Structures are given as C-alpha cells and as structure tokens.
C-alpha cells in the first residue's frame, strides 16, 4: 500500500529508509528499523542470526534462502492424534498431530519433528530485514520480537516450512512485549502454528501490510487443505493496522482478535480474504475493531457467531448508513466491506464504542483507501514477495 512517503519527501524530512521501500504507515508510522545503516548481505544462517541479534542498528539484505530446517536436529516423541485436528474422514487433506504432553481426548502416535522451527530468532531493536527481489527466503525458522525490543521492519521475506504437519510446530512471527513493528510485503506459508501471533505481552504499535498469508497445506486442522492457525492477535496492548493483505486458503483465526487479558485496537482495511473454508474474523473481548473496505470472496464465515456475543467491540461497515454514521468519529467516510462469491450474508454489527475509540487515533488511520471493488486486483498486484 502506498502511503505517506511522498508527503515525507515534500516536507523535507530526510529519507532514512535505505533499501526499505516506502515508509511505515498506520499504527506503526515512524518505524525506521535500521535506518541509514550501511546494508549488510549475510551469506550463512549463522551470519544472519548474528546480524539480527547484535546490538547495532542494521539493514540486513536477504538475497538467498537461509535454510534453518535441519540445523538443530530433530526430535522423535509421542504426538497426540485427536478428533480436533486429525480425524479427516472424507477430508481433502491429512490433519495435524499435536506436539505436547497431554492427549486426553485422543491417542498417542510416534512423531518426528524438526527442532529449529520451534525456536524463533530473538531479533534486537533497530533492524530492517529486507528481501532482494523475490530471493529472500527463511526456511524452517521464525522471528520473535520480545523483551522490550522496538523499531523493526520485516519486508519482502518468504517464511516457510515450520513443521506444517504439527500443531505447535512453529510460529513465523511472534510479538510479545515489543513496539513499533512493521511487517510488510512478506509471504508466510506452511507453518505448524501461527503465521503471526501477538501476546501475552504487548505488541505495541504494529502495521501488517501487503503480506500474503498462503494457507494451502496438505496437513490441515480443518481437514480441507487450508491452514487453520493464521493470525492470533491477543497482546495486552496492541494497536494494529492490517492493510492490503491477501489471506487465502485458510480455515480459521484469519484473524482471531482479543482475549481475557488483551487490549487490542485493530484497523483492518482493504484486505482480500479469499477461499476461507472456515472463519475470517473471530473477535473476542477487549478488542475494538474497525473493519472497512475489505473484500471477502468465498468466505464461509466472515465474522464468527462468537464475535457478536463475546463482548468484543466491532464496527463492520456494510451499508451507506454504517459509513455515514462513522464519518464524524473517523474524520472521513470509510469504505464498505463486500461479500462476494459464496460468502454468506451476515448480521450487522456496529459498535459505537469502536467509533469512540478510533476517534482518538485519527492521525493513524488517514490515508487514501482503495475502493472495495478494486481490492482484489490491487491486492494481487501488491501483496507478497517480489512486488515491492
Ligand atoms: C471428539 O472427542 C471428544 C472426546 O472423546 C468427544 O467428546 C467429541 O464429541 C468428539 N468430537 C467429534 C467431532 O467427534
Ligand atoms: C535504537 O535507536 C534509537 C534511536 O536512534 C536509540 O535511542 C536506541 O537506543 C536504539 N536501541 C538500541 C537497543 O540500540
């Protein structure tokens, strides 16, 4: 999504984003990552880890595949097969086995999984991690932003193969006690657990823009060839812009927002949800979510029934009245969401508490929106790797 970059140049602000394309907008506006540090080009996994975890601001360019998958060996253990994820009679894919110590409602089964995907790299502050063309791939490893680190940009990287056969096999990106994270133009595929997860600590100010969440898998907890665990955003102080993303072939948590100890303000705008064989949004308590200009195509469940009863506050723009009723709080006329293909009609949900909440954050939500009818074309042209 093109943002306020042109405005920054016009205003004479120095452009401090060497190798990073465009500038962070939305809640993570002002995130500069490694800034003007001289770019470095790691050639080995060890060098990549060293650049990510040292205390210097860095612009780290990825021009190859960093293959971590077998670097820490494997574990053979007992995994749980239970009917939540592995009984797929007549399904179009196998399910996922659970890695863990309990198996109350299932049966134990011998399993072997890779160790590296289960231990993310703990990235330090002030880093830009940027793929070159479509060459930047991290295989079998995720990144974690925790322990108070801040100001990190992840752009144009493909994260893939984190034990997709196993629930708890690995998360791609974890935000837990952090701030100012911009996740832009990446692709995430074939993970075991979450593609992005925030919690239990705060995620702070985050923009998740123009990413491809590719859920196609042969190990689906939904038994339908679509990954279930897409994005779980339940941090205790989260301000998240979710814009221009392509979420496809998923079956759940696409995304899930909020829980008991969360506090999440989420602006989801101009995302393209396609072939969701399950649910897109599942919104729970302690969440204020503004959903506008999103395009839902062949989505079984746009908002879970839970979203209506959990106490989470959702404003979902569906009608002209929904848009005009939001105008004074937002300072602009928001765009409506569209349900297309086989997406089922849904009941209205328009929380005035969400509008009050967003009226406090007007400066983080103003940029030129796409008209909803242009979302599929624009998202397919922009989202994922090799596009920025
Ligand atoms: C799954 O197993 C549990 C415990 O054995 C049972 O209560 C539940 O009904 C089963 N669900 C399905 C869908 O078979
Ligand atoms: C990150 O950069 C900011 C601004 O230059 C600086 O104040 C801060 O100390 C840096 N953080 C680390 C951990 O180096």
């Amino acid at each position: 999504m093109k943002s306020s970059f042109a405005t920054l140049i016009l205003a004479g602000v120095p452009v401090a984003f060497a190798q990073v394309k465009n500038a962070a907008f939305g809640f993570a506006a002002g995130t500069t990552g490694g800034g003007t540090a001289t770019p470095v080009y790691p050639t080995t996994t060890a060098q990549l880890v060293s650049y990510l975890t040292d205390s210097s601001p860095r612009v780290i360019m990825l021009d190859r595949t960093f293959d971590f998958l077998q670097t820490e060996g494997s574990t053979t253990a007992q995994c749980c097969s239970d009917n939540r994820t592995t009984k797929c009679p007549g399904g179009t894919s196998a399910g996922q086995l659970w890695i863990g110590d309990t198996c109350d409602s299932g049966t134990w089964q011998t399993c072997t999984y890779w160790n590296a995907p289960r231990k993310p790299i703990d990235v330090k502050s002030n880093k830009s991690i940027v793929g070159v063309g479509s060459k930047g791939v991290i295989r079998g490893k995720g990144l974690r932003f925790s322990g108070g680190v801040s100001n990190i940009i992840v752009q144009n990287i493909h994260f893939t193969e984190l034990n997709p056969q196993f629930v708890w096999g690995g998360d791609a990106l974890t935000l837990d006690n952090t701030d100012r994270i911009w996740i832009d133009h990446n692709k995430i595929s074939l993970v075991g657990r979450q593609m992005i997860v925030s919690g239990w600590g705060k995620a702070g100010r985050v923009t998740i823009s123009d990413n491809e969440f590719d859920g196609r898998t042969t190990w689906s907890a939904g038994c339908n060839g679509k990954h279930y665990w897409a994005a779980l955003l339940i941090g205790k102080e989260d301000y998240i812009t979710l814009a221009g993303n392509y979420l496809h072939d998923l079956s759940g948590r696409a995304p899930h927002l909020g829980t008991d100890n969360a506090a999440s303000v989420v602006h989801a705008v101009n995302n393209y949800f396609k072939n969701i064989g399950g649910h897109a949004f599942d919104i729970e308590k302690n969440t204020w979510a503004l959903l506008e200009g999103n395009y839902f195509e062949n989505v079984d469940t746009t908002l879970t029934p839970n979203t209506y009863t959990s106490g989470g506050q959702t404003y979902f723009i569906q009608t002209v009245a929904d848009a005009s009723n939001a105008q004074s709080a937002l300072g602009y006329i928001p765009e409506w969401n569209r349900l297309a293909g086989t997406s089922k009609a849904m009941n209205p949900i328009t929380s005035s508490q969400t509008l009050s909440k967003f009226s406090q954050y007007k400066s983080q939500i103003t940029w030129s929106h796409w008209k909803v009818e242009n979302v599929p074309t624009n998202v397919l042209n922009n989202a994922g790797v090799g596009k920025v």
Side-chain angles (χ1 to χ4, degrees):
M1 176 156 298
K2 299 294 176 276
S3 63
S4 54
F5 191 56
T7 325
L8 285 175
I9 293 169
L10 290 174
V13 175
V15 178
F17 312 107
Q19 312 301 329
V20 169
K21 306 279 176 54
N22 305 318
F25 61 96
F27 281 118
T31 301
T32 54
T36 55
T38 305
V40 290
Y41 289 75
T43 58
T44 63
T45 54
Q47 214 172 16
L48 173 60
V49 171
S50 152
Y51 286 142
L52 289 169
T53 58
D54 71 12
S55 56
S56 305
R58 289 202 182 273
V59 174
I60 306 164
M61 306 301 297
L62 273 54
D63 64 358
R64 63 195 67 204
T65 295
F66 291 85
D67 188 351
F68 287 89
L69 190 61
Q70 304 189 15
T71 55
E72 294 167 46
S74 62
T75 297
T76 296
Q78 296 296 303
C79 289
C80 184
S81 167
D82 76 12
N83 63 9
R84 286 173 294 170
T85 58
T86 46
K87 297 283 155 51
C88 295
T92 55
S93 66
Q96 287 185 299
L97 292 174
W98 296 75
I99 296 171
D101 298 330
T102 56
C103 193
D104 296 341
S105 58
T107 53
W108 290 110
Q109 196 171 305
T110 301
C111 58
T112 300
Y113 49 84
W114 298 111
N115 295 330
R118 286 165 44 82
K119 282 182 242 152
I121 301 166
D122 284 307
V123 179
K124 291 286 194 338
S125 296
N126 300 335
K127 307 279 187 186
S128 302
I129 309 139
V130 186
V132 176
S134 43
K135 295 183 192 156
V137 179
I138 298 183
R139 178 177 189 234
K141 202 73 166 168
L143 303 180
R144 180 164 55 196
F145 318 112
S146 70
V149 301
S150 68
N151 193 31
I152 298 166
I153 298 172
V154 183
Q155 187 175 64
N156 198 32
I157 311 278
H158 183 189
F159 296 89
T160 192
E161 287 188 67
L162 291 94
N163 287 321
Q165 304 92 323
F166 302 102
V167 182
W168 305 117
D171 302 310
L173 296 169
T174 303
L175 292 76
D176 181 7
N177 187 14
T178 188
D179 193 21
R180 291 199 297 148
I181 304 291
W182 184 31
I183 299 166
D184 182 65
H185 279 96
N186 303 287
K187 173 172 176 167
I188 305 176
S189 64
L190 292 173
V191 297
R193 187 64 170 178
Q194 300 298 148
M195 294 182 168
I196 299 186
V197 56
S198 75
W200 303 103
K202 70 169 190 160
R205 294 163 285 178
V206 182
T207 297
I208 300 171
S209 48
D210 299 299
N211 301 284
E212 179 183 357
F213 296 77
D214 180 353
R216 290 172 295 174
T217 179
T218 41
W219 303 277
S220 165
C223 299
N224 59 359
K226 302 176 198 302
H227 188 66
Y228 181 86
W229 326 95
L232 178 65
L233 303 172
I234 56 173
K236 74 174 180 196
E237 192 187 335
D238 293 6
Y239 300 90
I240 299 176
T241 300
L242 200 59
N245 297 289
Y246 181 32
L247 299 98
H248 67 97
D249 297 289
L250 295 157
S251 60
R253 294 188 175 176
H256 177 106
L257 312 177
T259 189
D260 284 352
N261 301 311
S264 310
V265 179
V266 178
H267 184 205
V269 55
N270 286 161
N271 299 289
Y272 183 25
F273 300 82
K274 188 176 181 192
N275 298 340
I276 307 294
H279 62 266
F281 284 92
D282 184 26
I283 302 179
E284 261 194 65
K285 63 178 79 150
N286 304 315
T287 304
W288 297 265
L290 171 64
L291 276 48
E292 58 156 327
N294 299 292
Y295 198 103
F296 299 91
E297 182 175 346
N298 302 335
V299 173
D300 284 358
T301 304
T302 305
L303 300 181
T304 57
N306 185 41
T307 299
Y308 292 83
T309 56
S310 63
Q313 302 297 319
T314 300
Y315 199 98
F316 184 99
I317 294 166
Q318 232 181 153
T319 66
V320 172
D322 298 342
S324 62
N325 291 340
Q327 184 179 3
S328 72
L330 302 179
Y332 64 93
I333 303 175
E335 182 68 14
W336 54 22
N337 298 290
R338 179 174 291 187
L339 307 185
T342 58
S343 301
K344 296 183 194 76
M346 43 164 280
N347 293 325
I349 181 165
T350 53
S351 158
S352 59
Q353 287 189 40
T354 297
L355 294 183
S356 315
K357 188 62 113 176
F358 273 82
S359 67
Q360 302 166 47
Y361 302 109
K362 282 181 184 168
S363 63
Q364 275 98 337
I365 54 176
T366 50
W367 70 86
S368 50
H369 295 58
W370 293 330
K371 283 185 165 306
V372 72
E373 65 260 35
N374 297 329
V375 165
T377 303
N378 290 356
V379 167
L380 293 179
N381 285 338
N382 273 288
V385 294
K387 309 271 181 80
V388 67

